[in-house]
DNA sequence: CAGTATCCCATATGATACTG
DNA sequence: CAGTATCATATGGGATACTG
């Protein structure tokens, strides 16, 4: 996405956006999670130009988010497919987070065209914040600590500077 | 971000990206969560042009993600600040998800310059996937259901088409 | 301080044609 | 099928000046 070196070093958000912040990138990942693997299938669903798709797949591959795999079906010539790596799966909270925000705030019905369910029990899946004991965390209970400094004083540590009243 | 009407209607990810997918938008939200409220303070931290900042703040405000609040300190003239709404807080899984991905994959040390801790117990906070009983969900246990169709057959429902081997 | 208005440019993108 | 190459365009963004 082209940000300054300063930003990239000082902020992991900016650094990640430099890889996945381009216009079509997240939508490519969405399609990968839907099982899309091949160039033309991406192309058809995304309706972007092949040049753009090619460039994005390259970036994602070089970043280790996708993996280009050669395969050959019996009697066919060699083909390639793009598979998600573990690094891709670790972006799921981002992708699903975007989806559920849109579901809640942009879809007329308050829910979107796609639902995620656990295979085992059929429970709805969502992105959320948890602590290292896997317990749900309320946004108001979070404080920001800068590694280079002492723990922030309470007044500063307030987070996310909660909206006093609702918009 | 300028996507087709088709995309916006069919995909909440695309719809949300049309609001927050622009270059500086997520970084503005990052700063809001750091407690930044005023135009010039954003400007200083972001080092983008005032025109761009103005445009993004407008978009975010119109989307209900920020709220423009007038206030007047004693003896001073009227000022404005931009506060996060609940809708902004609901984007935290996305923002924190981006951060933790960068921490893991782009920071040399495997952890970034900023850490999030629960105020109560000082536990690390992360973005994750949970079910509606607030239990952690493994990515392999998720299946995608399209609202307009019958539940996907097992072969299709596989998700996220897990990486067989690691990259 | 808190923006708006201009000007200009880099470049991401769309459209299309071409190749192994 | 799976891309690369080319070209025109649109526009997001940088720099800067200006205003209430």
């Amino acid at each position: 996405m082209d940000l300054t070196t300063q930003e990239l070093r000082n902020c992991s958000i900016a650094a990640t956006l430099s890889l996945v912040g381009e216009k079509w990138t997240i939508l490519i990942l969405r399609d990968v999670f839907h099982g899309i693997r091949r160039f033309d299938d991406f192309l058809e669903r995304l309706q972007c130009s092949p040049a753009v798709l090619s460039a994005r797949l390259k970036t994602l591959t070089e970043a280790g988010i996708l993996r280009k795999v050669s395969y050959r079906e019996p009697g066919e010539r060699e083909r390639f497919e793009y598979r998600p790596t573990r690094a891709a799966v670790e972006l799921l909270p981002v992708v699903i987070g975007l989806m559920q925000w849109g579901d809640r705030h942009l879809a007329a019905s308050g829910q979107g065209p796609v639902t995620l369910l656990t295979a085992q029990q059929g429970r709805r899946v969502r992105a959320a914040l948890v602590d290292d004991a896997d317990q749900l965390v309320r946004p108001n209970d979070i404080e920001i600590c800068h590694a280079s400094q002492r723990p922030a004083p309470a007044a500063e540590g307030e987070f996310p500077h909660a909206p006093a009243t609702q918009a």
Side-chain angles (χ1 to χ4, degrees), chain A residues 118-142:
Chain A
T118 62
Q120 296 297 323
Q121 308 199 17
R123 294 182 179 278
R124 283 177 180 276
V125 176
R126 70 184 203 279
L129 305 176
V130 301
D131 64 21
D132 50 21
D134 298 339
Q135 295 302 302
L136 218 58
V137 171
R138 284 170 306 104
N140 280 340
D141 192 37
I142 301 174

mmCIF file of all heavy atoms in Angstrom, chain A residues 118-142:
data_model
loop_
_atom_site.group_PDB
_atom_site.id
_atom_site.type_symbol
_atom_site.label_atom_id
_atom_site.label_comp_id
_atom_site.label_asym_id
_atom_site.label_seq_id
_atom_site.Cartn_x
_atom_site.Cartn_y
_atom_site.Cartn_z
ATOM 1 N N THR A 118 -20.320 -23.335 13.076
ATOM 2 C CA THR A 118 -19.416 -24.422 13.422
ATOM 3 C C THR A 118 -19.972 -25.708 12.833
ATOM 4 O O THR A 118 -21.187 -25.945 12.863
ATOM 5 C CB THR A 118 -19.271 -24.586 14.941
ATOM 6 O OG1 THR A 118 -20.544 -24.908 15.497
ATOM 7 C CG2 THR A 118 -18.759 -23.311 15.579
ATOM 8 N N ALA A 119 -19.062 -26.497 12.283
ATOM 9 C CA ALA A 119 -19.497 -27.737 11.663
ATOM 10 C C ALA A 119 -20.055 -28.690 12.713
ATOM 11 O O ALA A 119 -21.028 -29.410 12.485
ATOM 12 C CB ALA A 119 -18.328 -28.382 10.915
ATOM 13 N N GLN A 120 -19.424 -28.700 13.872
ATOM 14 C CA GLN A 120 -19.809 -29.631 14.926
ATOM 15 C C GLN A 120 -21.212 -29.376 15.448
ATOM 16 O O GLN A 120 -22.056 -30.245 15.475
ATOM 17 C CB GLN A 120 -18.813 -29.534 16.102
ATOM 18 C CG GLN A 120 -17.394 -29.947 15.743
ATOM 19 C CD GLN A 120 -17.321 -31.407 15.332
ATOM 20 O OE1 GLN A 120 -18.023 -32.226 15.899
ATOM 21 N NE2 GLN A 120 -16.516 -31.712 14.332
ATOM 22 N N GLN A 121 -21.451 -28.139 15.855
ATOM 23 C CA GLN A 121 -22.687 -27.871 16.591
ATOM 24 C C GLN A 121 -23.594 -26.871 15.903
ATOM 25 O O GLN A 121 -24.662 -26.535 16.411
ATOM 26 C CB GLN A 121 -22.348 -27.348 17.990
ATOM 27 C CG GLN A 121 -21.375 -28.243 18.730
ATOM 28 C CD GLN A 121 -21.382 -27.996 20.220
ATOM 29 O OE1 GLN A 121 -22.317 -27.384 20.744
ATOM 30 N NE2 GLN A 121 -20.364 -28.458 20.898
ATOM 31 N N GLY A 122 -23.150 -26.364 14.764
ATOM 32 C CA GLY A 122 -23.993 -25.429 14.042
ATOM 33 C C GLY A 122 -24.182 -24.095 14.739
ATOM 34 O O GLY A 122 -25.206 -23.432 14.581
ATOM 35 N N ARG A 123 -23.193 -23.706 15.523
ATOM 36 C CA ARG A 123 -23.296 -22.410 16.206
ATOM 37 C C ARG A 123 -22.733 -21.311 15.318
ATOM 38 O O ARG A 123 -21.786 -21.517 14.576
ATOM 39 C CB ARG A 123 -22.488 -22.445 17.508
ATOM 40 C CG ARG A 123 -23.022 -23.399 18.544
ATOM 41 C CD ARG A 123 -22.170 -23.303 19.800
ATOM 42 N NE ARG A 123 -22.630 -24.172 20.862
ATOM 43 C CZ ARG A 123 -23.621 -23.877 21.693
ATOM 44 N NH1 ARG A 123 -24.258 -22.732 21.569
ATOM 45 N NH2 ARG A 123 -23.980 -24.719 22.639
ATOM 46 N N ARG A 124 -23.307 -20.127 15.472
ATOM 47 C CA ARG A 124 -22.801 -18.985 14.713
ATOM 48 C C ARG A 124 -21.381 -18.634 15.130
ATOM 49 O O ARG A 124 -21.061 -18.642 16.315
ATOM 50 C CB ARG A 124 -23.682 -17.754 14.944
ATOM 51 C CG ARG A 124 -24.970 -17.780 14.198
ATOM 52 C CD ARG A 124 -25.810 -16.561 14.548
ATOM 53 N NE ARG A 124 -27.061 -16.594 13.814
ATOM 54 C CZ ARG A 124 -27.177 -16.136 12.566
ATOM 55 N NH1 ARG A 124 -26.131 -15.602 11.971
ATOM 56 N NH2 ARG A 124 -28.331 -16.220 11.938
ATOM 57 N N VAL A 125 -20.582 -18.288 14.155
ATOM 58 C CA VAL A 125 -19.187 -17.920 14.401
ATOM 59 C C VAL A 125 -19.024 -16.418 14.218
ATOM 60 O O VAL A 125 -19.583 -15.840 13.293
ATOM 61 C CB VAL A 125 -18.253 -18.659 13.426
ATOM 62 C CG1 VAL A 125 -16.815 -18.200 13.604
ATOM 63 C CG2 VAL A 125 -18.376 -20.161 13.626
ATOM 64 N N ARG A 126 -18.259 -15.807 15.110
ATOM 65 C CA ARG A 126 -17.978 -14.380 14.950
ATOM 66 C C ARG A 126 -16.552 -14.074 15.393
ATOM 67 O O ARG A 126 -15.913 -14.881 16.083
ATOM 68 C CB ARG A 126 -18.978 -13.557 15.763
ATOM 69 C CG ARG A 126 -18.799 -13.671 17.253
ATOM 70 C CD ARG A 126 -19.904 -12.905 17.984
ATOM 71 N NE ARG A 126 -19.481 -12.534 19.322
ATOM 72 C CZ ARG A 126 -19.490 -13.333 20.368
ATOM 73 N NH1 ARG A 126 -19.899 -14.582 20.240
ATOM 74 N NH2 ARG A 126 -19.081 -12.897 21.546
ATOM 75 N N ALA A 127 -16.069 -12.913 14.982
ATOM 76 C CA ALA A 127 -14.766 -12.431 15.434
ATOM 77 C C ALA A 127 -14.969 -11.667 16.730
ATOM 78 O O ALA A 127 -15.940 -10.934 16.883
ATOM 79 C CB ALA A 127 -14.137 -11.534 14.379
ATOM 80 N N ALA A 128 -14.061 -11.857 17.672
ATOM 81 C CA ALA A 128 -14.197 -11.204 18.972
ATOM 82 C C ALA A 128 -12.825 -11.030 19.609
ATOM 83 O O ALA A 128 -11.821 -11.513 19.094
ATOM 84 C CB ALA A 128 -15.107 -12.037 19.883
ATOM 85 N N LEU A 129 -12.816 -10.339 20.728
ATOM 86 C CA LEU A 129 -11.574 -10.138 21.461
ATOM 87 C C LEU A 129 -11.550 -11.049 22.676
ATOM 88 O O LEU A 129 -12.511 -11.094 23.440
ATOM 89 C CB LEU A 129 -11.460 -8.671 21.899
ATOM 90 C CG LEU A 129 -11.584 -7.669 20.744
ATOM 91 C CD1 LEU A 129 -11.549 -6.244 21.277
ATOM 92 C CD2 LEU A 129 -10.506 -7.908 19.713
ATOM 93 N N VAL A 130 -10.463 -11.761 22.834
ATOM 94 C CA VAL A 130 -10.332 -12.669 23.966
ATOM 95 C C VAL A 130 -8.984 -12.451 24.642
ATOM 96 O O VAL A 130 -8.066 -11.886 24.055
ATOM 97 C CB VAL A 130 -10.445 -14.144 23.518
ATOM 98 C CG1 VAL A 130 -11.793 -14.400 22.846
ATOM 99 C CG2 VAL A 130 -9.307 -14.512 22.586
ATOM 100 N N ASP A 131 -8.883 -12.904 25.868
ATOM 101 C CA ASP A 131 -7.596 -12.811 26.556
ATOM 102 C C ASP A 131 -6.858 -14.146 26.422
ATOM 103 O O ASP A 131 -7.333 -15.058 25.745
ATOM 104 C CB ASP A 131 -7.782 -12.404 28.023
ATOM 105 C CG ASP A 131 -8.548 -13.455 28.828
ATOM 106 O OD1 ASP A 131 -8.599 -14.630 28.398
ATOM 107 O OD2 ASP A 131 -9.107 -13.108 29.872
ATOM 108 N N ASP A 132 -5.704 -14.253 27.066
ATOM 109 C CA ASP A 132 -4.897 -15.447 26.846
ATOM 110 C C ASP A 132 -5.419 -16.655 27.611
ATOM 111 O O ASP A 132 -4.846 -17.738 27.522
ATOM 112 C CB ASP A 132 -3.422 -15.178 27.147
ATOM 113 C CG ASP A 132 -3.229 -14.521 28.496
ATOM 114 O OD1 ASP A 132 -4.148 -14.637 29.343
ATOM 115 O OD2 ASP A 132 -2.197 -13.885 28.705
ATOM 116 N N ALA A 133 -6.529 -16.458 28.320
ATOM 117 C CA ALA A 133 -7.219 -17.620 28.877
ATOM 118 C C ALA A 133 -8.462 -17.923 28.040
ATOM 119 O O ALA A 133 -9.365 -18.640 28.469
ATOM 120 C CB ALA A 133 -7.609 -17.362 30.335
ATOM 121 N N ASP A 134 -8.516 -17.313 26.857
ATOM 122 C CA ASP A 134 -9.622 -17.509 25.919
ATOM 123 C C ASP A 134 -10.956 -16.994 26.440
ATOM 124 O O ASP A 134 -12.016 -17.427 25.988
ATOM 125 C CB ASP A 134 -9.755 -18.988 25.527
ATOM 126 C CG ASP A 134 -8.498 -19.491 24.811
ATOM 127 O OD1 ASP A 134 -7.754 -18.653 24.280
ATOM 128 O OD2 ASP A 134 -8.289 -20.713 24.805
ATOM 129 N N GLN A 135 -10.881 -16.086 27.381
ATOM 130 C CA GLN A 135 -12.121 -15.490 27.879
ATOM 131 C C GLN A 135 -12.419 -14.206 27.114
ATOM 132 O O GLN A 135 -11.517 -13.437 26.774
ATOM 133 C CB GLN A 135 -11.985 -15.159 29.373
ATOM 134 C CG GLN A 135 -11.806 -16.395 30.234
ATOM 135 C CD GLN A 135 -12.951 -17.370 30.064
ATOM 136 O OE1 GLN A 135 -14.101 -17.029 30.302
ATOM 137 N NE2 GLN A 135 -12.628 -18.586 29.632
ATOM 138 N N LEU A 136 -13.696 -13.987 26.858
ATOM 139 C CA LEU A 136 -14.122 -12.793 26.151
ATOM 140 C C LEU A 136 -13.671 -11.532 26.895
ATOM 141 O O LEU A 136 -13.729 -11.471 28.131
ATOM 142 C CB LEU A 136 -15.649 -12.813 26.060
ATOM 143 C CG LEU A 136 -16.273 -12.309 24.765
ATOM 144 C CD1 LEU A 136 -15.766 -13.122 23.582
ATOM 145 C CD2 LEU A 136 -17.775 -12.377 24.875
ATOM 146 N N VAL A 137 -13.228 -10.545 26.144
ATOM 147 C CA VAL A 137 -12.779 -9.291 26.723
ATOM 148 C C VAL A 137 -13.702 -8.161 26.269
ATOM 149 O O VAL A 137 -14.017 -8.059 25.086
ATOM 150 C CB VAL A 137 -11.339 -8.977 26.268
ATOM 151 C CG1 VAL A 137 -10.927 -7.574 26.688
ATOM 152 C CG2 VAL A 137 -10.373 -10.013 26.812
ATOM 153 N N ARG A 138 -14.132 -7.344 27.209
ATOM 154 C CA ARG A 138 -14.925 -6.181 26.820
ATOM 155 C C ARG A 138 -13.980 -5.063 26.392
ATOM 156 O O ARG A 138 -12.938 -4.848 27.030
ATOM 157 C CB ARG A 138 -15.794 -5.718 27.989
ATOM 158 C CG ARG A 138 -17.014 -6.601 28.218
ATOM 159 C CD ARG A 138 -17.727 -6.267 29.504
ATOM 160 N NE ARG A 138 -16.815 -6.306 30.639
ATOM 161 C CZ ARG A 138 -16.335 -5.227 31.238
ATOM 162 N NH1 ARG A 138 -16.680 -4.012 30.830
ATOM 163 N NH2 ARG A 138 -15.495 -5.335 32.239
ATOM 164 N N PRO A 139 -14.324 -4.354 25.331
ATOM 165 C CA PRO A 139 -13.451 -3.302 24.800
ATOM 166 C C PRO A 139 -13.020 -2.300 25.865
ATOM 167 O O PRO A 139 -11.889 -1.813 25.850
ATOM 168 C CB PRO A 139 -14.331 -2.642 23.746
ATOM 169 C CG PRO A 139 -15.221 -3.732 23.261
ATOM 170 C CD PRO A 139 -15.501 -4.579 24.476
ATOM 171 N N ASN A 140 -13.894 -2.004 26.801
ATOM 172 C CA ASN A 140 -13.552 -1.038 27.844
ATOM 173 C C ASN A 140 -12.491 -1.547 28.804
ATOM 174 O O ASN A 140 -11.914 -0.781 29.560
ATOM 175 C CB ASN A 140 -14.799 -0.682 28.658
ATOM 176 C CG ASN A 140 -15.644 0.327 27.933
ATOM 177 O OD1 ASN A 140 -15.156 1.028 27.044
ATOM 178 N ND2 ASN A 140 -16.903 0.404 28.302
ATOM 179 N N ASP A 141 -12.264 -2.832 28.763
ATOM 180 C CA ASP A 141 -11.329 -3.418 29.714
ATOM 181 C C ASP A 141 -9.924 -3.549 29.130
ATOM 182 O O ASP A 141 -9.063 -4.217 29.696
ATOM 183 C CB ASP A 141 -11.858 -4.791 30.156
ATOM 184 C CG ASP A 141 -11.098 -5.344 31.351
ATOM 185 O OD1 ASP A 141 -10.718 -4.537 32.228
ATOM 186 O OD2 ASP A 141 -10.860 -6.564 31.386
ATOM 187 N N ILE A 142 -9.702 -2.917 27.992
ATOM 188 C CA ILE A 142 -8.404 -3.045 27.327
ATOM 189 C C ILE A 142 -7.551 -1.811 27.570
ATOM 190 O O ILE A 142 -8.044 -0.690 27.534
ATOM 191 C CB ILE A 142 -8.592 -3.228 25.806
ATOM 192 C CG1 ILE A 142 -9.441 -4.467 25.525
ATOM 193 C CG2 ILE A 142 -7.248 -3.330 25.106
ATOM 194 C CD1 ILE A 142 -9.794 -4.625 24.063
#
